[in-house]
PDB file of all heavy atoms in Angstrom:
ATOM      1  N   MET A   1      95.973 100.950 104.286  1.00  0.00           N
ATOM      2  CA  MET A   1      95.832 100.119 103.094  1.00  0.00           C
ATOM      3  C   MET A   1      97.199 100.056 102.431  1.00  0.00           C
ATOM      4  O   MET A   1      97.876 101.077 102.286  1.00  0.00           O
ATOM      5  CB  MET A   1      94.819 100.731 102.137  1.00  0.00           C
ATOM      6  CG  MET A   1      93.443 100.960 102.734  1.00  0.00           C
ATOM      7  SD  MET A   1      92.503  99.462 102.942  1.00  0.00           S
ATOM      8  CE  MET A   1      91.917  99.220 101.268  1.00  0.00           C
ATOM      9  N   ARG A   2      97.597  98.869 102.013  1.00  0.00           N
ATOM     10  CA  ARG A   2      98.972  98.727 101.537  1.00  0.00           C
ATOM     11  C   ARG A   2      99.232  99.558 100.280  1.00  0.00           C
ATOM     12  O   ARG A   2      98.385  99.643  99.391  1.00  0.00           O
ATOM     13  CB  ARG A   2      99.318  97.260 101.278  1.00  0.00           C
ATOM     14  CG  ARG A   2      98.678  96.636 100.073  1.00  0.00           C
ATOM     15  CD  ARG A   2      99.174  95.220  99.857  1.00  0.00           C
ATOM     16  NE  ARG A   2      98.307  94.529  98.915  1.00  0.00           N
ATOM     17  CZ  ARG A   2      98.144  93.218  98.875  1.00  0.00           C
ATOM     18  NH1 ARG A   2      98.786  92.431  99.729  1.00  0.00           N
ATOM     19  NH2 ARG A   2      97.351  92.658  97.992  1.00  0.00           N
ATOM     20  N   ILE A   3     100.400 100.169 100.257  1.00  0.00           N
ATOM     21  CA  ILE A   3     100.859 100.855  99.053  1.00  0.00           C
ATOM     22  C   ILE A   3     101.751  99.938  98.231  1.00  0.00           C
ATOM     23  O   ILE A   3     101.989 100.182  97.045  1.00  0.00           O
ATOM     24  CB  ILE A   3     101.590 102.171  99.401  1.00  0.00           C
ATOM     25  CG1 ILE A   3     102.773 101.914 100.340  1.00  0.00           C
ATOM     26  CG2 ILE A   3     100.631 103.173 100.004  1.00  0.00           C
ATOM     27  CD1 ILE A   3     103.615 103.135 100.626  1.00  0.00           C
ATOM     28  N   ALA A   4     102.261  98.868  98.859  1.00  0.00           N
ATOM     29  CA  ALA A   4     103.078  97.867  98.174  1.00  0.00           C
ATOM     30  C   ALA A   4     103.179  96.649  99.089  1.00  0.00           C
ATOM     31  O   ALA A   4     102.937  96.746 100.298  1.00  0.00           O
ATOM     32  CB  ALA A   4     104.465  98.405  97.846  1.00  0.00           C
ATOM     33  N   ASN A   5     103.524  95.515  98.507  1.00  0.00           N
ATOM     34  CA  ASN A   5     103.657  94.294  99.304  1.00  0.00           C
ATOM     35  C   ASN A   5     105.116  93.840  99.437  1.00  0.00           C
ATOM     36  O   ASN A   5     105.410  92.766  99.950  1.00  0.00           O
ATOM     37  CB  ASN A   5     102.827  93.162  98.691  1.00  0.00           C
ATOM     38  CG  ASN A   5     103.188  92.887  97.235  1.00  0.00           C
ATOM     39  OD1 ASN A   5     103.919  93.648  96.618  1.00  0.00           O
ATOM     40  ND2 ASN A   5     102.666  91.812  96.689  1.00  0.00           N
ATOM     41  N   GLU A   6     106.037  94.679  99.022  1.00  0.00           N
ATOM     42  CA  GLU A   6     107.449  94.311  98.910  1.00  0.00           C
ATOM     43  C   GLU A   6     108.036  93.775 100.211  1.00  0.00           C
ATOM     44  O   GLU A   6     108.705  92.724 100.232  1.00  0.00           O
ATOM     45  CB  GLU A   6     108.250  95.533  98.436  1.00  0.00           C
ATOM     46  CG  GLU A   6     109.748  95.302  98.381  1.00  0.00           C
ATOM     47  CD  GLU A   6     110.488  96.453  97.722  1.00  0.00           C
ATOM     48  OE1 GLU A   6     109.826  97.305  97.088  1.00  0.00           O
ATOM     49  OE2 GLU A   6     111.718  96.497  97.852  1.00  0.00           O
ATOM     50  N   LEU A   7     107.836  94.482 101.316  1.00  0.00           N
ATOM     51  CA  LEU A   7     108.527  94.110 102.546  1.00  0.00           C
ATOM     52  C   LEU A   7     108.035  92.776 103.097  1.00  0.00           C
ATOM     53  O   LEU A   7     108.802  92.041 103.724  1.00  0.00           O
ATOM     54  CB  LEU A   7     108.370  95.225 103.591  1.00  0.00           C
ATOM     55  CG  LEU A   7     108.885  96.601 103.164  1.00  0.00           C
ATOM     56  CD1 LEU A   7     108.850  97.571 104.339  1.00  0.00           C
ATOM     57  CD2 LEU A   7     110.298  96.518 102.596  1.00  0.00           C
ATOM     58  N   TYR A   8     106.776  92.449 102.864  1.00  0.00           N
ATOM     59  CA  TYR A   8     106.261  91.157 103.308  1.00  0.00           C
ATOM     60  C   TYR A   8     106.809  90.021 102.444  1.00  0.00           C
ATOM     61  O   TYR A   8     107.118  88.933 102.951  1.00  0.00           O
ATOM     62  CB  TYR A   8     104.736  91.159 103.293  1.00  0.00           C
ATOM     63  CG  TYR A   8     104.149  91.897 104.471  1.00  0.00           C
ATOM     64  CD1 TYR A   8     103.814  93.244 104.370  1.00  0.00           C
ATOM     65  CD2 TYR A   8     103.957  91.262 105.694  1.00  0.00           C
ATOM     66  CE1 TYR A   8     103.283  93.934 105.451  1.00  0.00           C
ATOM     67  CE2 TYR A   8     103.433  91.942 106.787  1.00  0.00           C
ATOM     68  CZ  TYR A   8     103.110  93.283 106.663  1.00  0.00           C
ATOM     69  OH  TYR A   8     102.599  93.957 107.739  1.00  0.00           O
ATOM     70  N   LEU A   9     106.901  90.234 101.143  1.00  0.00           N
ATOM     71  CA  LEU A   9     107.449  89.197 100.273  1.00  0.00           C
ATOM     72  C   LEU A   9     108.911  88.918 100.608  1.00  0.00           C
ATOM     73  O   LEU A   9     109.361  87.767 100.602  1.00  0.00           O
ATOM     74  CB  LEU A   9     107.300  89.609  98.808  1.00  0.00           C
ATOM     75  CG  LEU A   9     105.854  89.657  98.286  1.00  0.00           C
ATOM     76  CD1 LEU A   9     105.820  90.196  96.861  1.00  0.00           C
ATOM     77  CD2 LEU A   9     105.196  88.289  98.345  1.00  0.00           C
ATOM     78  N   LYS A  10     109.662  89.975 100.946  1.00  0.00           N
ATOM     79  CA  LYS A  10     111.066  89.759 101.319  1.00  0.00           C
ATOM     80  C   LYS A  10     111.181  89.026 102.653  1.00  0.00           C
ATOM     81  O   LYS A  10     112.122  88.262 102.864  1.00  0.00           O
ATOM     82  CB  LYS A  10     111.798  91.099 101.342  1.00  0.00           C
ATOM     83  CG  LYS A  10     112.072  91.642  99.941  1.00  0.00           C
ATOM     84  CD  LYS A  10     113.162  92.686  99.941  1.00  0.00           C
ATOM     85  CE  LYS A  10     112.599  94.054  99.761  1.00  0.00           C
ATOM     86  NZ  LYS A  10     113.630  95.082  99.542  1.00  0.00           N
ATOM     87  N   ARG A  11     110.216  89.227 103.545  1.00  0.00           N
ATOM     88  CA  ARG A  11     110.206  88.444 104.787  1.00  0.00           C
ATOM     89  C   ARG A  11     110.115  86.949 104.476  1.00  0.00           C
ATOM     90  O   ARG A  11     110.676  86.104 105.189  1.00  0.00           O
ATOM     91  CB  ARG A  11     109.017  88.861 105.664  1.00  0.00           C
ATOM     92  CG  ARG A  11     109.166  90.201 106.396  1.00  0.00           C
ATOM     93  CD  ARG A  11     107.845  90.558 107.051  1.00  0.00           C
ATOM     94  NE  ARG A  11     107.898  91.679 107.984  1.00  0.00           N
ATOM     95  CZ  ARG A  11     107.677  92.937 107.691  1.00  0.00           C
ATOM     96  NH1 ARG A  11     107.421  93.284 106.431  1.00  0.00           N
ATOM     97  NH2 ARG A  11     107.722  93.873 108.626  1.00  0.00           N
ATOM     98  N   LEU A  12     109.379  86.614 103.413  1.00  0.00           N
ATOM     99  CA  LEU A  12     109.241  85.203 103.044  1.00  0.00           C
ATOM    100  C   LEU A  12     110.535  84.643 102.459  1.00  0.00           C
ATOM    101  O   LEU A  12     110.841  83.460 102.622  1.00  0.00           O
ATOM    102  CB  LEU A  12     108.081  85.033 102.053  1.00  0.00           C
ATOM    103  CG  LEU A  12     106.700  85.405 102.613  1.00  0.00           C
ATOM    104  CD1 LEU A  12     105.629  85.237 101.543  1.00  0.00           C
ATOM    105  CD2 LEU A  12     106.362  84.572 103.838  1.00  0.00           C
ATOM    106  N   ILE A  13     111.297  85.498 101.771  1.00  0.00           N
ATOM    107  CA  ILE A  13     112.626  85.067 101.303  1.00  0.00           C
ATOM    108  C   ILE A  13     113.519  84.800 102.520  1.00  0.00           C
ATOM    109  O   ILE A  13     114.255  83.808 102.565  1.00  0.00           O
ATOM    110  CB  ILE A  13     113.256  86.118 100.372  1.00  0.00           C
ATOM    111  CG1 ILE A  13     112.404  86.302  99.104  1.00  0.00           C
ATOM    112  CG2 ILE A  13     114.677  85.727 100.003  1.00  0.00           C
ATOM    113  CD1 ILE A  13     112.331  85.089  98.200  1.00  0.00           C
ATOM    114  N   VAL A  14     113.437  85.675 103.525  1.00  0.00           N
ATOM    115  CA  VAL A  14     114.173  85.431 104.774  1.00  0.00           C
ATOM    116  C   VAL A  14     113.765  84.089 105.362  1.00  0.00           C
ATOM    117  O   VAL A  14     114.591  83.317 105.870  1.00  0.00           O
ATOM    118  CB  VAL A  14     113.891  86.564 105.802  1.00  0.00           C
ATOM    119  CG1 VAL A  14     114.465  86.204 107.175  1.00  0.00           C
ATOM    120  CG2 VAL A  14     114.494  87.877 105.315  1.00  0.00           C
ATOM    121  N   GLY A  15     112.454  83.775 105.273  1.00  0.00           N
ATOM    122  CA  GLY A  15     111.929  82.547 105.855  1.00  0.00           C
ATOM    123  C   GLY A  15     112.279  81.285 105.104  1.00  0.00           C
ATOM    124  O   GLY A  15     111.965  80.185 105.582  1.00  0.00           O
ATOM    125  N   GLY A  16     112.898  81.399 103.917  1.00  0.00           N
ATOM    126  CA  GLY A  16     113.388  80.203 103.251  1.00  0.00           C
ATOM    127  C   GLY A  16     112.812  79.896 101.891  1.00  0.00           C
ATOM    128  O   GLY A  16     113.223  78.925 101.251  1.00  0.00           O
ATOM    129  N   PHE A  17     111.864  80.706 101.401  1.00  0.00           N
ATOM    130  CA  PHE A  17     111.374  80.490 100.043  1.00  0.00           C
ATOM    131  C   PHE A  17     112.408  81.017  99.051  1.00  0.00           C
ATOM    132  O   PHE A  17     112.961  82.099  99.233  1.00  0.00           O
ATOM    133  CB  PHE A  17     110.048  81.219  99.822  1.00  0.00           C
ATOM    134  CG  PHE A  17     108.871  80.576 100.508  1.00  0.00           C
ATOM    135  CD1 PHE A  17     108.453  81.013 101.751  1.00  0.00           C
ATOM    136  CD2 PHE A  17     108.192  79.532  99.905  1.00  0.00           C
ATOM    137  CE1 PHE A  17     107.375  80.434 102.391  1.00  0.00           C
ATOM    138  CE2 PHE A  17     107.102  78.935 100.529  1.00  0.00           C
ATOM    139  CZ  PHE A  17     106.696  79.377 101.777  1.00  0.00           C
ATOM    140  N   ASP A  18     112.630  80.267  97.968  1.00  0.00           N
ATOM    141  CA  ASP A  18     113.582  80.720  96.953  1.00  0.00           C
ATOM    142  C   ASP A  18     112.950  81.670  95.937  1.00  0.00           C
ATOM    143  O   ASP A  18     113.658  82.465  95.310  1.00  0.00           O
ATOM    144  CB  ASP A  18     114.174  79.515  96.198  1.00  0.00           C
ATOM    145  CG  ASP A  18     115.288  78.848  96.977  1.00  0.00           C
ATOM    146  OD1 ASP A  18     115.748  79.433  97.976  1.00  0.00           O
ATOM    147  OD2 ASP A  18     115.695  77.732  96.597  1.00  0.00           O
ATOM    148  N   GLY A  19     111.641  81.587  95.764  1.00  0.00           N
ATOM    149  CA  GLY A  19     110.963  82.471  94.821  1.00  0.00           C
ATOM    150  C   GLY A  19     109.500  82.609  95.176  1.00  0.00           C
ATOM    151  O   GLY A  19     108.796  81.598  95.286  1.00  0.00           O
ATOM    152  N   VAL A  20     109.029  83.843  95.394  1.00  0.00           N
ATOM    153  CA  VAL A  20     107.625  84.086  95.721  1.00  0.00           C
ATOM    154  C   VAL A  20     107.097  85.226  94.859  1.00  0.00           C
ATOM    155  O   VAL A  20     107.846  86.139  94.496  1.00  0.00           O
ATOM    156  CB  VAL A  20     107.419  84.432  97.217  1.00  0.00           C
ATOM    157  CG1 VAL A  20     107.703  83.228  98.092  1.00  0.00           C
ATOM    158  CG2 VAL A  20     108.273  85.621  97.644  1.00  0.00           C
ATOM    159  N   TYR A  21     105.813  85.150  94.531  1.00  0.00           N
ATOM    160  CA  TYR A  21     105.199  86.246  93.778  1.00  0.00           C
ATOM    161  C   TYR A  21     103.767  86.430  94.247  1.00  0.00           C
ATOM    162  O   TYR A  21     103.146  85.535  94.828  1.00  0.00           O
ATOM    163  CB  TYR A  21     105.253  85.984  92.269  1.00  0.00           C
ATOM    164  CG  TYR A  21     104.350  84.887  91.768  1.00  0.00           C
ATOM    165  CD1 TYR A  21     103.072  85.173  91.289  1.00  0.00           C
ATOM    166  CD2 TYR A  21     104.776  83.550  91.740  1.00  0.00           C
ATOM    167  CE1 TYR A  21     102.242  84.174  90.802  1.00  0.00           C
ATOM    168  CE2 TYR A  21     103.955  82.540  91.260  1.00  0.00           C
ATOM    169  CZ  TYR A  21     102.690  82.855  90.794  1.00  0.00           C
ATOM    170  OH  TYR A  21     101.856  81.860  90.319  1.00  0.00           O
ATOM    171  N   GLU A  22     103.227  87.621  93.956  1.00  0.00           N
ATOM    172  CA  GLU A  22     101.850  87.945  94.333  1.00  0.00           C
ATOM    173  C   GLU A  22     101.284  88.973  93.369  1.00  0.00           C
ATOM    174  O   GLU A  22     101.965  89.921  92.980  1.00  0.00           O
ATOM    175  CB  GLU A  22     101.800  88.508  95.762  1.00  0.00           C
ATOM    176  CG  GLU A  22     100.389  88.858  96.237  1.00  0.00           C
ATOM    177  CD  GLU A  22     100.349  89.404  97.652  1.00  0.00           C
ATOM    178  OE1 GLU A  22     101.403  89.843  98.165  1.00  0.00           O
ATOM    179  OE2 GLU A  22      99.264  89.394  98.260  1.00  0.00           O
ATOM    180  N   PHE A  23     100.030  88.758  92.978  1.00  0.00           N
ATOM    181  CA  PHE A  23      99.268  89.796  92.283  1.00  0.00           C
ATOM    182  C   PHE A  23      98.518  90.547  93.372  1.00  0.00           C
ATOM    183  O   PHE A  23      97.594  90.003  93.977  1.00  0.00           O
ATOM    184  CB  PHE A  23      98.296  89.184  91.275  1.00  0.00           C
ATOM    185  CG  PHE A  23      98.971  88.498  90.119  1.00  0.00           C
ATOM    186  CD1 PHE A  23      99.220  87.139  90.138  1.00  0.00           C
ATOM    187  CD2 PHE A  23      99.378  89.234  89.021  1.00  0.00           C
ATOM    188  CE1 PHE A  23      99.848  86.507  89.078  1.00  0.00           C
ATOM    189  CE2 PHE A  23     100.015  88.620  87.946  1.00  0.00           C
ATOM    190  CZ  PHE A  23     100.253  87.247  87.973  1.00  0.00           C
ATOM    191  N   SER A  24      98.921  91.761  93.642  1.00  0.00           N
ATOM    192  CA  SER A  24      98.389  92.460  94.818  1.00  0.00           C
ATOM    193  C   SER A  24      97.591  93.691  94.424  1.00  0.00           C
ATOM    194  O   SER A  24      97.968  94.435  93.513  1.00  0.00           O
ATOM    195  CB  SER A  24      99.531  92.868  95.752  1.00  0.00           C
ATOM    196  OG  SER A  24     100.325  93.879  95.175  1.00  0.00           O
ATOM    197  N   LYS A  25      96.481  93.880  95.132  1.00  0.00           N
ATOM    198  CA  LYS A  25      95.744  95.130  95.041  1.00  0.00           C
ATOM    199  C   LYS A  25      96.435  96.138  95.951  1.00  0.00           C
ATOM    200  O   LYS A  25      96.559  95.916  97.154  1.00  0.00           O
ATOM    201  CB  LYS A  25      94.296  94.934  95.496  1.00  0.00           C
ATOM    202  CG  LYS A  25      93.397  94.303  94.452  1.00  0.00           C
ATOM    203  CD  LYS A  25      93.109  95.253  93.314  1.00  0.00           C
ATOM    204  CE  LYS A  25      92.090  94.667  92.347  1.00  0.00           C
ATOM    205  NZ  LYS A  25      91.879  95.557  91.187  1.00  0.00           N
ATOM    206  N   ASN A  26      96.890  97.231  95.380  1.00  0.00           N
ATOM    207  CA  ASN A  26      97.539  98.292  96.136  1.00  0.00           C
ATOM    208  C   ASN A  26      96.670  99.545  96.106  1.00  0.00           C
ATOM    209  O   ASN A  26      95.867  99.741  95.183  1.00  0.00           O
ATOM    210  CB  ASN A  26      98.921  98.606  95.553  1.00  0.00           C
ATOM    211  CG  ASN A  26      99.880  97.438  95.702  1.00  0.00           C
ATOM    212  OD1 ASN A  26      99.633  96.520  96.477  1.00  0.00           O
ATOM    213  ND2 ASN A  26     100.961  97.470  94.956  1.00  0.00           N
ATOM    214  N   PHE A  27      96.883 100.419  97.100  1.00  0.00           N
ATOM    215  CA  PHE A  27      96.012 101.581  97.269  1.00  0.00           C
ATOM    216  C   PHE A  27      96.871 102.798  97.589  1.00  0.00           C
ATOM    217  O   PHE A  27      97.620 102.792  98.569  1.00  0.00           O
ATOM    218  CB  PHE A  27      95.016 101.337  98.404  1.00  0.00           C
ATOM    219  CG  PHE A  27      94.241 100.059  98.248  1.00  0.00           C
ATOM    220  CD1 PHE A  27      94.760  98.853  98.699  1.00  0.00           C
ATOM    221  CD2 PHE A  27      93.000 100.052  97.624  1.00  0.00           C
ATOM    222  CE1 PHE A  27      94.060  97.661  98.551  1.00  0.00           C
ATOM    223  CE2 PHE A  27      92.292  98.865  97.474  1.00  0.00           C
ATOM    224  CZ  PHE A  27      92.825  97.673  97.931  1.00  0.00           C
ATOM    225  N   ARG A  28      96.769 103.826  96.765  1.00  0.00           N
ATOM    226  CA  ARG A  28      97.553 105.037  96.986  1.00  0.00           C
ATOM    227  C   ARG A  28      96.628 106.250  96.914  1.00  0.00           C
ATOM    228  O   ARG A  28      95.905 106.444  95.930  1.00  0.00           O
ATOM    229  CB  ARG A  28      98.700 105.133  95.977  1.00  0.00           C
ATOM    230  CG  ARG A  28      99.651 103.941  96.145  1.00  0.00           C
ATOM    231  CD  ARG A  28     100.882 103.991  95.290  1.00  0.00           C
ATOM    232  NE  ARG A  28     101.702 102.802  95.525  1.00  0.00           N
ATOM    233  CZ  ARG A  28     102.838 102.525  94.886  1.00  0.00           C
ATOM    234  NH1 ARG A  28     103.298 103.377  93.982  1.00  0.00           N
ATOM    235  NH2 ARG A  28     103.503 101.420  95.160  1.00  0.00           N
ATOM    236  N   ASN A  29      96.687 107.045  97.984  1.00  0.00           N
ATOM    237  CA  ASN A  29      95.763 108.159  98.151  1.00  0.00           C
ATOM    238  C   ASN A  29      96.315 109.395  97.437  1.00  0.00           C
ATOM    239  O   ASN A  29      96.671 110.392  98.066  1.00  0.00           O
ATOM    240  CB  ASN A  29      95.557 108.423  99.640  1.00  0.00           C
ATOM    241  CG  ASN A  29      94.343 109.293  99.905  1.00  0.00           C
ATOM    242  OD1 ASN A  29      93.666 109.723  98.977  1.00  0.00           O
ATOM    243  ND2 ASN A  29      94.073 109.553 101.164  1.00  0.00           N
ATOM    244  N   GLU A  30      96.370 109.286  96.128  1.00  0.00           N
ATOM    245  CA  GLU A  30      97.002 110.329  95.315  1.00  0.00           C
ATOM    246  C   GLU A  30      96.092 110.696  94.148  1.00  0.00           C
ATOM    247  O   GLU A  30      94.917 110.337  94.128  1.00  0.00           O
ATOM    248  CB  GLU A  30      98.372 109.826  94.849  1.00  0.00           C
ATOM    249  CG  GLU A  30      99.305 109.537  96.024  1.00  0.00           C
ATOM    250  CD  GLU A  30     100.605 108.872  95.634  1.00  0.00           C
ATOM    251  OE1 GLU A  30     100.663 108.269  94.549  1.00  0.00           O
ATOM    252  OE2 GLU A  30     101.558 108.937  96.423  1.00  0.00           O
ATOM    253  N   GLY A  31      96.647 111.393  93.172  1.00  0.00           N
ATOM    254  CA  GLY A  31      95.842 111.908  92.070  1.00  0.00           C
ATOM    255  C   GLY A  31      95.294 110.820  91.164  1.00  0.00           C
ATOM    256  O   GLY A  31      95.753 109.681  91.165  1.00  0.00           O
ATOM    257  N   MET A  32      94.287 111.191  90.389  1.00  0.00           N
ATOM    258  CA  MET A  32      93.678 110.309  89.395  1.00  0.00           C
ATOM    259  C   MET A  32      93.822 110.950  88.027  1.00  0.00           C
ATOM    260  O   MET A  32      93.596 112.139  87.864  1.00  0.00           O
ATOM    261  CB  MET A  32      92.191 110.094  89.701  1.00  0.00           C
ATOM    262  CG  MET A  32      91.905 109.274  90.943  1.00  0.00           C
ATOM    263  SD  MET A  32      90.152 109.329  91.409  1.00  0.00           S
ATOM    264  CE  MET A  32      89.349 108.904  89.859  1.00  0.00           C
ATOM    265  N   ASP A  33      94.220 110.134  87.055  1.00  0.00           N
ATOM    266  CA  ASP A  33      94.270 110.608  85.674  1.00  0.00           C
ATOM    267  C   ASP A  33      94.139 109.406  84.756  1.00  0.00           C
ATOM    268  O   ASP A  33      93.736 108.327  85.185  1.00  0.00           O
ATOM    269  CB  ASP A  33      95.550 111.418  85.397  1.00  0.00           C
ATOM    270  CG  ASP A  33      96.828 110.636  85.700  1.00  0.00           C
ATOM    271  OD1 ASP A  33      96.829 109.399  85.516  1.00  0.00           O
ATOM    272  OD2 ASP A  33      97.820 111.260  86.120  1.00  0.00           O
ATOM    273  N   ARG A  34      94.502 109.586  83.496  1.00  0.00           N
ATOM    274  CA  ARG A  34      94.297 108.519  82.511  1.00  0.00           C
ATOM    275  C   ARG A  34      95.205 107.311  82.747  1.00  0.00           C
ATOM    276  O   ARG A  34      94.972 106.247  82.164  1.00  0.00           O
ATOM    277  CB  ARG A  34      94.522 109.068  81.096  1.00  0.00           C
ATOM    278  CG  ARG A  34      93.407 110.002  80.659  1.00  0.00           C
ATOM    279  CD  ARG A  34      93.772 110.753  79.397  1.00  0.00           C
ATOM    280  NE  ARG A  34      93.927 109.872  78.248  1.00  0.00           N
ATOM    281  CZ  ARG A  34      92.933 109.452  77.487  1.00  0.00           C
ATOM    282  NH1 ARG A  34      91.689 109.801  77.776  1.00  0.00           N
ATOM    283  NH2 ARG A  34      93.149 108.681  76.442  1.00  0.00           N
ATOM    284  N   THR A  35      96.239 107.464  83.574  1.00  0.00           N
ATOM    285  CA  THR A  35      97.123 106.325  83.827  1.00  0.00           C
ATOM    286  C   THR A  35      97.208 105.955  85.309  1.00  0.00           C
ATOM    287  O   THR A  35      98.009 105.093  85.671  1.00  0.00           O
ATOM    288  CB  THR A  35      98.549 106.605  83.293  1.00  0.00           C
ATOM    289  OG1 THR A  35      99.074 107.778  83.930  1.00  0.00           O
ATOM    290  CG2 THR A  35      98.539 106.802  81.793  1.00  0.00           C
ATOM    291  N   HIS A  36      96.415 106.600  86.155  1.00  0.00           N
ATOM    292  CA  HIS A  36      96.467 106.322  87.591  1.00  0.00           C
ATOM    293  C   HIS A  36      95.060 106.163  88.167  1.00  0.00           C
ATOM    294  O   HIS A  36      94.184 106.997  87.915  1.00  0.00           O
ATOM    295  CB  HIS A  36      97.189 107.437  88.346  1.00  0.00           C
ATOM    296  CG  HIS A  36      98.644 107.558  88.010  1.00  0.00           C
ATOM    297  ND1 HIS A  36      99.098 108.329  86.961  1.00  0.00           N
ATOM    298  CD2 HIS A  36      99.748 106.987  88.582  1.00  0.00           C
ATOM    299  CE1 HIS A  36     100.421 108.253  86.905  1.00  0.00           C
ATOM    300  NE2 HIS A  36     100.833 107.442  87.862  1.00  0.00           N
ATOM    301  N   ASN A  37      94.877 105.100  88.929  1.00  0.00           N
ATOM    302  CA  ASN A  37      93.652 104.863  89.680  1.00  0.00           C
ATOM    303  C   ASN A  37      94.066 104.609  91.126  1.00  0.00           C
ATOM    304  O   ASN A  37      95.103 103.975  91.364  1.00  0.00           O
ATOM    305  CB  ASN A  37      92.922 103.624  89.125  1.00  0.00           C
ATOM    306  CG  ASN A  37      91.498 103.512  89.628  1.00  0.00           C
ATOM    307  OD1 ASN A  37      90.646 104.344  89.306  1.00  0.00           O
ATOM    308  ND2 ASN A  37      91.214 102.478  90.408  1.00  0.00           N
TER     309      ASN A  37
END
């Protein structure tokens, strides 16, 4: 499950897009607290 989408977005810059963005669901198998899910 992706921890970030950075490397894929940069591939699109390589492919010729001048500006790309994404609202991405990321998943990190780490601790949970009041500021982390």
Side-chain angles (χ1 to χ4, degrees):
M1 303 286 280
R2 72 176 165 206
I3 57 175
N5 56 350
E6 176 172 347
L7 302 188
Y8 283 93
L9 292 175
K10 286 199 254 189
R11 285 172 169 92
L12 297 179
I13 297 295
V14 171
F17 287 95
D18 280 348
V20 292
Y21 71 94
E22 181 180 18
F23 293 94
S24 69
K25 281 289 186 184
N26 295 344
F27 307 85
R28 298 185 181 178
N29 196 359
E30 298 173 339
M32 291 169 51
D33 57 33
R34 289 168 65 84
T35 59
H36 294 88
N37 194 66

